[in-house]
Amino acid sequence: MKIAIVCYPTFGGSGVVATELGIALAGRGHEVHFITYKQPVRLELLGNNIHFHEVHVPEYPLFHYQPYELALSSKLVDTVKLYGIELLHVHYAIPHAYAGYMAKKMLQEEGIFIPMITTLHGTDITLVGKHPFYKPAVNFSINKSDVVTSVSEALRQSTLQIFDIKKEIEVVPNFIDISKYSQEYTDCQRSLMANEDERIITHISNFRKVKRIPDVIKVFFKIQKEIPSKLIMVGEGPEKEYAEQLCDELKIKDKVLFLGNSTEIDRILCFSDLFLLPSESESFGLAALEAMINKVAVVSSNVGGIPEVNKQGVSGYLTEVGDVAGMAAKALEILKDDATLEKFKENAYKTATKFDIVHILPLYEEIYEKAYKSRYKNTY
Ligand code: GMT
């Protein structure tokens, strides 16, 4: 099939999922066209089956806000016509579903019928999408999608609670490609990061408020008082400066490494023992899943879709949001001795295998087939 994928090209989870999905689809013989404002960070190879089309938004001084949705929908129309694209898959509702619907309607005027799949990722619903300034448009574009999927059951429930949804929402969980993890980084070069006797604790995110970055630092503060350890903070975002300041105040600066955004997540996870994810809200927690497939145990909050990924007492532990003392206690329980840590690491890996792409890709392919077959039906 010829598939256009619209996503954010940045380090965020939705862009990562969209990119990995596109790469996997191309591997299965589909022709995949990424349409976004920059080449997605995890998209290294372009070729016969993988294309990238950049959306340019020309600056015009009259506009206080440059109209990205307009440029995106025009680009979609042109690309669909030029390459004979058969299906549109938009990741993150805002503004992609809205722009996608406009493209669909414009194409319809020319007798081209293209189904649109919208995948909801989390903050497009739980944070940004529900804001009264966006809500009507988000509600409208979800209802106008041919198929709506969400990355967890929890997100499906939140969407139904927040919006007036007239469509089925199918849950298609996020995934990882296990085949990529079998040989990579057998030598983790752990010694570059920590001493032999130290545990390595890691956090990866976009450092937004919703991630509760200060909790990560406070939990680590408690851990390092009990056992020798280092904290690796990966990512960039608004809370980073405060996090660095907090480390300074707590006098743990020498034990915390801020690495910034990285395209070497697996290399970092390879030498990590424990992953901390104390988020306020999390529709899935892709970062936790990536940790687990790298045999890293997880201590997380017990919100949203995280319990669908991190299993209590198996791959790690889950506590209430903001329970810093509880999280530290659970982390210490995992890290206390090598045998216990090893057991959690192995179980984290086993739990993650359930999300192997080989189980998830066919679900998307089935949805595509169905949507394509009924493309003349949804002409609203
Ligand atoms: O974590 C973020 O804030 C980024 C955001 C995104 O849209 O890129 O992540 C959301 O989508 C990910 C992929 O589906 C999920 O794993 C994250 O849980 C979700 N984030 C939130 O719900 C806060």
Side-chain angles (χ1 to χ4, degrees):
M1 245 182 160
K2 293 185 179 187
I3 303 158
I5 293 185
V6 178
C7 63
Y8 283 105
T10 51
F11 285 90
S14 64
V16 169
V17 168
T19 309
E20 300 286 356
L21 174 64
I23 295 170
L25 287 165
R28 298 261 295 175
H30 299 281
E31 187 179 302
V32 178
H33 296 255
F34 287 95
I35 304 180
T36 179
Y37 58 83
K38 213 175 72 196
Q39 182 157 331
V41 284
R42 290 220 187 161
L43 186 65
E44 280 152 15
L45 283 177
L46 297 174
N48 280 347
N49 271 358
I50 303 188
H51 304 251
F52 162 60
H53 309 280
E54 189 172 339
V55 180
H56 290 284
V57 187
E59 294 270 329
Y60 186 65
L62 176 69
F63 300 148
H64 185 63
Y65 303 105
Q66 307 302 319
Y68 179 67
E69 292 87 329
L70 220 62
L72 174 59
S73 49
S74 294
K75 188 76 184 179
L76 282 169
V77 169
D78 290 346
T79 315
V80 166
K81 286 183 356 195
L82 193 62
Y83 292 90
I85 282 162
E86 296 159 304
L87 185 132
L88 189 57
H89 189 172
V90 304
H91 290 260
Y92 207 90
I94 308 170
H96 300 151
Y98 194 76
Y101 177 67
M102 284 317 295
K104 184 182 151 102
K105 291 304 284 180
M106 285 187 265
L107 288 160
Q108 221 168 276
E109 294 281 309
E110 299 186 44
I112 301 167
F113 294 82
I114 179 161
M116 177 173 78
I117 322 297
T118 298
T119 292
L120 310 173
H121 278 273
T123 43
D124 48 350
I125 297 300
T126 54
L127 207 69
V128 197
K130 73 174 185 191
H131 191 285
F133 293 175
Y134 296 123
K135 198 173 170 183
V138 175
N139 201 97
F140 172 84
S141 41
I142 293 175
N143 280 326
K144 293 294 184 191
S145 305
D146 294 86
V147 181
V148 183
T149 74
S150 81
V151 298
S152 64
E153 175 56 30
L155 180 60
R156 188 179 87 87
Q157 294 297 341
S158 306
T159 311
L160 294 174
Q161 266 162 29
I162 297 168
F163 296 97
D164 179 18
I165 300 300
K166 308 263 192 283
K167 305 201 76 76
E168 276 280 308
I169 300 179
E170 298 187 40
V171 177
V172 182
N174 287 335
F175 53 83
I176 20 95
D177 183 350
I178 294 183
S179 65
K180 285 205 315 203
Y181 294 89
S182 34
Q183 294 96 19
E184 262 178 40
Y185 310 128
T186 38
D187 171 19
C188 290
Q189 296 183 299
R190 188 189 164 94
S191 55
L192 291 178
M193 290 291 157
N195 301 328
E196 188 81 340
D197 65 330
E198 286 176 322
R199 300 292 197 207
I200 301 183
I201 292 111
T202 300
H203 172 79
I204 304 172
S205 78
N206 51 21
F207 284 57
R208 297 195 185 277
K209 267 232 151 22
V210 72
K211 303 292 173 184
R212 296 188 65 97
I213 299 296
D215 285 8
V216 176
I217 309 290
K218 288 176 198 164
V219 170
F220 175 71
F221 178 69
K222 288 182 182 295
I223 296 173
Q224 59 81 44
K225 282 213 274 192
E226 304 297 324
I227 52 170
S229 44
K230 286 261 162 62
L231 173 65
I232 302 179
M233 300 288 281
V234 185
E236 294 286 347
E239 293 284 285
K240 190 177 166 194
E241 205 181 312
Y242 176 59
E244 284 174 315
Q245 202 183 309
L246 192 56
C247 291
D248 201 9
E249 280 166 26
L250 295 172
K251 303 200 172 15
I252 52 171
K253 253 171 84 178
D254 57 328
K255 295 182 179 176
V256 185
L257 285 93
F258 287 87
L259 298 185
N261 281 331
S262 173
T263 49
E264 296 199 302
I265 295 302
D266 296 326
R267 188 180 288 272
I268 296 164
L269 289 169
C270 178
F271 48 64
S272 302
D273 296 308
L274 184 80
F275 188 80
L276 290 176
L277 189 67
S279 306
E280 181 98 43
S281 142
E282 201 72 65
S283 68
F284 184 88
L286 183 66
L289 179 62
E290 291 190 326
M292 286 158 60
I293 200 65
N294 279 289
K295 300 192 175 177
V296 183
V298 175
V299 169
S300 67
S301 52
N302 188 12
V303 287
I306 304 182
E308 293 170 50
V309 181
N310 183 24
K311 296 295 171 193
Q312 186 74 281
V314 180
S315 51
Y317 287 106
L318 302 96
T319 68
E320 294 302 311
V321 173
D323 182 6
V324 168
M327 276 189 197
K330 290 300 180 192
L332 287 165
E333 206 173 311
I334 293 172
L335 297 170
K336 66 183 176 200
D337 60 66
D338 289 350
T340 311
L341 177 60
E342 208 42 49
K343 186 188 85 192
F344 274 98
K345 278 170 151 283
E346 280 306 320
N347 285 344
Y349 176 79
K350 270 193 215 136
T351 310
T353 57
K354 190 175 118 197
F355 297 93
D356 188 6
I357 192 159
V358 298
H359 307 307
I360 312 299
L361 198 61
L363 303 179
Y364 276 121
E365 285 181 309
E366 206 177 296
I367 286 171
Y368 292 169
E369 288 284 324
K370 252 198 336 216
Y372 186 67
K373 278 191 188 134
S374 51
R375 66 191 179 284
Y376 296 114
K377 265 204 229 149
N378 300 335
T379 52
Y380 31 69

